[in-house]
Amino acid sequence: MRPATLRSRLVLGFALVTVPLVVLLIWNNLYATRVVHSQVAQSNQSLLTMYVNDMDKALEEIENYLYKTAEQDDSLISLGQNAKGTWAYYLAQTHTMNDLFFNTNYYDAADVLFAYGEATDNLLLAPQTSVTYARKLLVQDALRKWLAQGDGTPPSFSAWNVVELDGSYALVRIVDSGYRSYIGAWVDLNRLMEPFHSLTRDGGGQAILSDNAGRLLSQSGGPLSSLAPAALRAGTATGHERAVYNIVKLDQRYLLIGKTSRNAALHLSLLLPERRVLEGLPYFRVLTYLVPVVAAGLLAVYLIFLQRAIVKPIVGLIKGMRRIRSGDLTARLEDNRLVEFIAINETFNGMATQIEHLKIDIYEEQIRTQKAELRALQAQIHPHFFMNSLNIVYHLAQTRSYDIIQRMSLHLVRYFRYATRTQTPSITIKDEMEHINDYLSIQKYRFPEALIFDFDVDPALASFALPPLTVQPLVENAMIHGFSFKGGEAYRIAVRVYAVREGAEEAVCIEVADNGKGLAAGQAAALEEMAAAPGPTDGHVGLWNIVRRCRLFYKASVRLRFADGEPRGAVARLTLPFQSNVKEGIPLDSGAYRR
């Protein structure tokens, strides 16, 4: 029987989990969404129909009152026939005002009832008590301007008209009595929308009132108010006036339900968030809770399948690789029934066998190579030190100070004895500082008044191990390249050794500072680049040797940094990995070594 492949197992497992789940989710969502949309749309369509019918009824009653008054009220007729200032005109004006104020109680949908005499240009207004005085003046000015443009023909006096006033909209109906007098009503559309405020206060929906052209006239206040213009555009594009409801996509999906008024060019729409609608259906909630449970069960089955078929062999492979990395070359993988894992196991076991045979030979060869390289790098420094020492002896002989030459010879003996110990793999900080003390003492014989030096070594680091001649080249470079004797101030070299913490690791910092010439612009970066280079470059071979030998010695990262001194001079800072084999510090002959 042919073994199953990993690909076929993955495809089969994925199909067993996802196909039934996807089919169930699609069927459930389609069914629940269709039922909820239909029920909610019918319920809210009935609500809109009831409200629009009430609104049409109120407009129709106002319109009947206006027609009846225009045809039968003698006072209104006299208002357009009698001259202003006559007793008949005064009686007509008084009776008309009383009649308007009296009927505002019966037709409370109208914010303002008004009458207009064209002959005298007299406009009488009877506002509701809820209309402020400032609002009354605005309405009065708007009516005067609008009546001045009327000619008795549609659309001004034939139907309800939409007018704009101070950013809001209203319905205006004017009826001509035929005797140069008119009666009309002003209906604020914002007040017509007040019954919907409680519906939209918590974000459950948004009522929108527009004209037949899709212009936004008024809306109920609520969190969805900013979506009204976009909803009208989307509804116009989908033709929501011809359907029971439509789905529009704004920031999310919404149900848009609409109803048109038969007495005015108005269209009332209701915008409902689909998410809120679906939350209200108990059956959908039950399915919503059931689907995650079913999905979790299917997922558990799929995870068990993956654990046995894929995860377990991969975990065995990882454990085997970790054993190989830790040095246990006897690690082998067990047999598997999948073709891919059979090939992986055979390859792994063969590689482990080869590594086991070659590891010892390769490791020993690497040790021999590193030792030879370390000795060669250490030996490169000796000619450099030797030439500088001969140059110092030459200058001291010119002064013919034989007692100084004798003392200097002792320092030279100790210095060259230390420098020629190429077989010594490591020395302590204390030994390196004594060697630097010999070197600087020789230099001080040459410049007795122009050179001073001191040491500041943490006593706990006196026995810290490092390769020979690690710090001495830094001191020698400071002496050669930084020596300066200006204004009678002596040239000073300070060597400091202390422990630092870099993150979670501890390190030893060796710092060589002077007050000499300092570094030119960009020279610090150039020196750091040459010291960290893969191979030696022309000039400053000693810096490259320091970094290279320390990396071979510690088998870890080593950093050599340069910076300007304060107030002048230069600072070289060598950072080495910390070791804990430390002993009590011993003071040096120069007297500046501190415990």
Side-chain angles (χ1 to χ4, degrees):
M1 182 177 179
R2 184 178 179 181
T5 63
L6 178 62
R7 179 179 299 176
S8 64
R9 290 288 182 90
L10 288 175
V11 173
L12 178 61
F14 183 80
L16 290 176
V17 173
T18 58
V19 171
L21 183 60
V22 169
V23 172
L24 177 62
L25 289 175
I26 292 176
W27 178 84
N28 176 63
N29 288 337
L30 292 178
Y31 174 78
T33 302
R34 185 166 55 251
V35 171
V36 172
H37 287 172
S38 177
Q39 292 181 353
V40 173
Q42 291 178 3
S43 174
N44 287 278
Q45 184 71 29
S46 300
L47 175 65
L48 289 180
T49 300
M50 180 182 66
Y51 181 75
V52 171
N53 289 340
D54 291 344
M55 181 178 66
D56 287 340
K57 181 179 179 181
L59 295 178
E60 187 175 354
E61 289 177 352
I62 295 173
E63 195 171 21
N64 291 336
Y65 161 72
L66 296 179
Y67 275 114
K68 180 180 178 180
T69 303
E71 293 176 358
Q72 302 177 5
D73 195 326
D74 295 335
S75 298
L76 178 64
I77 296 174
S78 300
L79 190 66
Q81 296 295 317
N82 297 311
K84 191 174 184 179
T86 63
W87 179 251
Y89 179 82
Y90 174 75
L91 292 177
Q93 175 178 288
T94 303
H95 184 271
T96 302
M97 281 294 298
N98 292 336
D99 182 72
L100 291 176
F101 274 107
F102 178 78
N103 283 282
T104 54
N105 298 320
Y106 291 98
Y107 305 102
D108 55 354
D111 293 86
V112 176
L113 295 177
F114 62 90
Y116 177 70
E118 184 178 359
T120 59
D121 191 27
N122 188 15
L123 179 62
L124 306 177
L125 273 76
Q128 296 283 355
T129 57
S130 59
V131 178
T132 63
Y133 180 73
R135 183 69 177 177
K136 173 188 173 182
L137 295 179
L138 292 175
V139 172
Q140 183 176 357
D141 292 340
L143 288 175
R144 284 190 179 278
K145 294 178 182 178
W146 200 57
L147 288 169
Q149 299 175 359
D151 55 1
T153 59
S156 299
F157 302 100
S158 60
W160 288 96
N161 296 273
V162 177
V163 296
E164 182 180 3
L165 177 62
D166 196 23
S168 62
Y169 293 88
L171 285 176
V172 177
R173 184 69 170 95
I174 300 177
V175 176
D176 187 0
S177 66
Y179 296 94
R180 301 182 68 187
S181 61
Y182 308 89
I183 188 171
W186 176 287
V187 179
D188 193 343
L189 295 181
N190 288 333
R191 200 159 69 89
L192 286 180
M193 299 297 292
E194 288 181 356
F196 287 94
H197 287 178
S198 59
L199 172 66
T200 62
R201 187 173 300 136
D202 59 348
Q206 184 71 17
I208 305 171
L209 189 63
S210 62
D211 59 11
N212 291 335
R215 180 178 54 170
L216 177 63
L217 302 179
S218 181
Q219 61 177 322
S220 59
L224 304 180
S225 300
S226 59
L227 300 177
L232 288 177
R233 291 193 296 269
T236 303
T238 56
H240 69 279
E241 67 278 359
R242 296 187 297 272
V244 176
Y245 72 91
N246 284 282
I247 301 296
V248 295
K249 294 182 179 180
L250 303 175
D251 59 333
Q252 56 177 305
R253 288 167 60 89
Y254 291 89
L255 269 73
L256 184 63
I257 308 167
K259 180 67 177 178
T260 302
S261 171
R262 67 178 184 272
N263 289 337
L266 299 177
H267 188 86
L268 182 62
S269 303
L270 188 60
L271 187 67
L272 301 174
E274 187 184 42
R275 183 173 58 186
R276 294 287 297 271
V277 170
L278 297 180
E279 289 177 354
L281 191 63
Y283 178 71
F284 183 79
R285 285 186 175 181
V286 172
L287 289 180
T288 303
Y289 296 145
L290 182 60
V291 168
V293 174
V294 175
L298 295 176
L299 182 59
V301 175
Y302 185 56
L303 290 178
I304 295 174
F305 172 80
L306 289 179
Q307 174 68 26
R308 295 181 178 180
I310 299 176
V311 177
K312 186 177 179 180
I314 292 178
V315 170
L317 175 61
I318 294 175
K319 290 181 178 179
M321 290 189 296
R322 288 177 177 173
R323 291 176 60 187
I324 293 294
R325 184 178 61 183
S326 63
D328 183 9
L329 300 179
T330 62
R332 299 294 184 271
L333 298 181
E334 299 178 357
D335 295 336
N336 195 284
R337 291 179 295 178
L338 294 180
V339 173
E340 291 81 1
F341 283 112
I342 291 175
I344 291 174
N345 293 352
E346 291 178 352
T347 303
F348 178 87
N349 294 337
M351 292 173 56
T353 301
Q354 294 178 5
I355 293 173
E356 186 177 9
H357 293 161
L358 298 176
K359 179 181 178 180
I360 297 177
D361 295 338
I362 295 175
Y363 180 71
E364 292 179 350
E365 182 63 27
Q366 288 178 346
I367 292 177
R368 289 192 294 268
T369 301
Q370 290 182 359
K371 287 182 177 179
E373 184 178 3
L374 183 60
R375 293 191 185 99
L377 290 173
Q378 184 174 328
Q380 287 181 7
I381 302 177
H382 298 162
H384 183 67
F385 291 156
F386 180 72
M387 296 302 298
N388 283 326
S389 299
L390 289 180
N391 187 44
I392 294 172
V393 172
Y394 173 77
H395 286 292
L396 288 175
Q398 284 183 329
T399 63
R400 298 184 180 183
S401 301
Y402 300 109
D403 55 340
I404 298 177
I405 293 176
Q406 290 177 357
R407 291 193 300 271
M408 185 194 67
S409 298
L410 295 177
H411 289 291
L412 285 175
V413 169
R414 290 196 298 266
Y415 174 81
F416 283 109
R417 182 183 295 117
Y418 179 90
T420 55
R421 291 189 301 177
T422 58
Q423 299 300 323
T424 302
S426 66
I427 49 91
T428 64
I429 287 287
K430 171 182 170 294
D431 295 335
E432 185 76 1
M433 295 301 106
E434 289 178 348
H435 177 64
I436 295 173
N437 184 63
D438 290 330
Y439 172 78
L440 291 176
S441 297
I442 295 171
Q443 295 288 8
K444 189 170 179 62
Y445 286 130
R446 182 180 178 186
F447 306 106
E449 303 295 334
L451 174 64
I452 57 176
F453 58 91
D454 60 80
F455 298 85
D456 182 5
V457 181
D458 187 347
L461 301 175
S463 59
F464 178 80
L466 73 167
L469 300 176
T470 297
V471 186
Q472 193 271 343
L474 299 177
V475 177
E476 186 175 353
N477 282 341
M479 191 67 196
I480 296 174
H481 301 289
F483 185 82
S484 176
F485 185 63
K486 296 181 179 180
E489 182 181 359
Y491 179 62
R492 180 174 181 174
I493 295 179
V495 182
R496 185 185 174 203
V497 182
Y498 56 95
V500 295
R501 177 173 292 276
E502 297 182 349
E505 302 293 333
E506 291 187 356
V508 175
C509 186
I510 302 175
E511 188 176 284
V512 178
D514 64 72
N515 61 346
K517 299 176 182 178
L519 301 173
Q523 188 177 3
L527 292 175
E528 293 174 3
E529 183 178 357
M530 286 187 291
T537 57
D538 295 337
H540 300 285
V541 176
L543 300 179
W544 179 83
N545 278 337
I546 293 172
V547 176
R548 177 61 174 168
R549 289 190 301 121
C550 289
R551 286 176 179 173
L552 290 173
F553 182 79
Y554 295 106
K555 296 181 176 60
S557 176
V558 175
R559 296 189 303 277
L560 180 58
R561 298 287 183 264
F562 294 89
D564 293 326
E566 292 294 339
R568 63 177 184 274
V571 179
R573 188 174 294 106
L574 178 64
T575 305
L576 304 174
F578 180 78
Q579 292 183 348
S580 59
N581 54 338
V582 295
K583 298 180 182 179
E584 185 88 12
I586 300 176
L588 297 177
D589 295 342
S590 59
Y593 179 79
R594 291 190 287 270
R595 289 176 177 267

